Structures are given as C-alpha cells and as structure tokens.
Amino acid sequence: MVSMRNVQKHFGDLHVLKDIDIEIPQGQVVVVLGPSGSGKSTLCRTINRLEPIDSGEIRIGGEVLPAEGRDLARLRSDVGMVFQSFNLFAHKTIYENVTIGPIKVRGMSKAEAGERADELLDRVGVSAQKDKYPAQLSGGQQQRVAIARSLAMGPKVMLFDEPTSALDPEMVSEVLDVMVSLAKDGMTMVVVTHEMGFARKAADRIVFMSEGAIVEDSDPESFFTAPESERARDFLSKILGH
C-alpha cells in the first residue's frame, strides 16, 4: 500500500531522511518511534508530499506519487492525515467539517456525505456535538472529529503525526481508543507517537528511527523485549524507566 525506496531529504545541510526503504502492505499498522529530531514526522509528511523529497520514490497503492499536479491531488485524497493540531475549519460546524471534503473533492451528494458524516461522528463518539463549532469542543473531541473528517474521504491509508501530543492526559485514551478500533478494522496506518501502550497493543510493526535513518524494523514483542540496537535500548530505558 505504501512503498518508499531510497528516499532522501535535506533541510539545508541537515540530512533528515537517509536511504529510507520501507514497504507497508495493506491493512498493516506501523508505529514509528524514535527520539525527537530523528525524522519521524518528516517521514510521515513525505508519504503524501506535504514535505517534498530530494530523491527516491514513493508509491501509494502501486502508483508513483508525483511531485505536483492533478495526479498528486488524486493520490493525496487517498491518504488521510491527522496532525498534532486538529486543523479543523474554525468557522464551520463539526458536521460541515466532515462533509466538505466528500462533497467538494469526491463529488458526493449532500445527502450521501451527510449520511456518512452521521455514521462516522457516531463511530468516534461525537455525534451529539455535530452542530457545534470546533472551539466549543474539548481537544480530545476535536481530534476525534479530525479522524472522522479524514475517514469521510474513504482513504486507503491513514497517517497520524503525534495525534495525542497536544492533548491533556485524560483525553489521550479517548483518541487512542478510536485508533485501536480502526486498526482492528484493518485500516492501513502509519502512526508517529510517543504512546508506548498503543504501540504495544495496536501495532503490527515497529519502525525505530534515529538521526534520519531506520535503525530497527520489527514486531512489537521483539522490539520492546529485545531491541537489537544500542540506540533503541537507550531510548526504551529512558521512556520505560519512568
């Protein structure tokens, strides 16, 4: 579903993605871990060309992701993205936030988009809030709306870039619960997170990054119980030691 081959990315002199090679089959949940500045978010953002790459190739569903143009827009609409900040349209209601993409981009009728929105808002547990505006919702509710909005487009892949890091601790679990249920339903997901419990529970695979490179790529059990690299051992001892 997602294929990255020999992807390189620089910010000026800083080499932020080094020789990234990864294949993610359909239905797999990949959690990307690593220290700050290791390239996790950049990796996530290159998958739908929010960050351009210097060289290499990215494919979504077997199609090469072009640098720009209509084909990029079409492929990008197959990739849902949920950010740290919720990025909802402040001047539109929750219901409008979820229906606007399907109507404008997918050409759905208002009735069909509305039906889909009702179903998804119910699924993420915020259907009672649908006539409110984003500012009237808690952070956890807004992030769940952001997930529903992405799902409304019928994406093939969902990218999550630290979706809970801006939330108060008591709101984190309500967002992770929605993500766990998505994972169980077979959604292809790439998740950048610091939530180790989620990584253990929902991931099929852990990709550990350090200094722009993929250092380890294994199943959660192996990664958490017997990491191969010194860098991963150090990272886990700091995170799990508290």
Side-chain angles (χ1 to χ4, degrees):
M1 187 49 80
V2 178
S3 166
M4 302 178 80
R5 297 228 174 121
N6 197 23
V7 170
Q8 312 287 343
K9 165 82 182 165
H10 291 78
F11 287 130
D13 292 337
L14 195 60
H15 198 172
V16 287
L17 291 180
K18 301 173 185 167
D19 307 314
I20 299 295
D21 275 302
I22 188 168
E23 302 277 333
I24 301 169
Q26 187 171 353
Q28 192 169 71
V29 178
V30 176
V31 170
V32 185
L33 301 176
S36 291
S38 57
K40 306 182 301 291
S41 288
T42 307
L43 175 93
C44 200
R45 294 167 71 90
T46 58
I47 294 176
N48 65 351
R49 277 278 201 266
L50 279 175
E51 286 288 355
I53 58 175
D54 299 336
S55 61
E57 181 186 84
I58 300 174
R59 288 175 180 263
I60 305 289
E63 286 189 69
V64 175
L65 199 61
E68 54 193 83
R70 278 191 178 166
D71 284 340
L72 174 63
R74 179 175 57 78
L75 275 176
R76 202 182 249 167
S77 67
D78 285 338
V79 182
M81 180 119 197
V82 178
F83 302 89
Q84 278 176 324
S85 50
F86 322 120
N87 291 15
L88 297 171
F89 298 118
H91 60 293
K92 293 193 180 295
T93 64
I94 297 314
Y95 184 74
E96 289 166 338
N97 263 282
V98 179
T99 54
I100 188 168
I103 292 169
K104 295 213 173 224
V105 180
R106 293 282 194 228
M108 261 189 206
S109 68
K110 279 190 175 168
E112 196 184 349
E115 207 172 295
R116 182 123 176 89
D118 285 338
E119 188 186 304
L120 288 168
L121 289 171
D122 186 46
R123 175 172 182 177
V124 300
V126 287
S127 51
Q129 322 293 332
K130 74 177 195 178
D131 296 323
K132 293 184 176 173
Y133 289 88
Q136 295 172 285
L137 272 58
S138 72
Q141 288 172 324
Q142 288 188 61
Q143 193 60 296
R144 285 183 282 153
V145 172
I147 293 172
R149 182 180 63 175
S150 278
L151 289 173
M153 295 292 287
K156 293 175 179 169
V157 184
M158 287 280 283
L159 308 176
F160 294 87
D161 186 10
E162 301 200 13
T164 57
S165 61
L167 299 177
D168 292 333
E170 69 269 21
M171 290 173 191
V172 169
S173 65
E174 64 191 52
V175 173
L176 292 178
D177 286 347
V178 171
M179 291 168 63
V180 168
S181 84
L182 270 182
K184 284 183 178 153
D185 284 355
M187 173 62 78
T188 310
M189 293 163 65
V190 180
V191 185
V192 174
T193 187
H194 292 290
E195 299 293 336
M196 296 298 138
F198 173 81
R200 283 189 121 138
K201 183 162 144 191
D204 296 307
R205 179 173 166 197
I206 303 286
V207 168
F208 177 75
M209 292 184 72
S210 178
E211 296 177 352
I214 293 175
V215 179
E216 290 196 36
D217 183 344
S218 66
D219 63 281
E221 184 62 22
S222 305
F223 180 77
F224 284 106
T225 54
E228 289 169 15
S229 65
E230 186 57 45
R231 191 68 195 86
R233 283 194 289 275
D234 181 51
F235 173 78
L236 285 172
S237 71
K238 286 185 175 135
I239 283 208
L240 303 174
H242 293 289

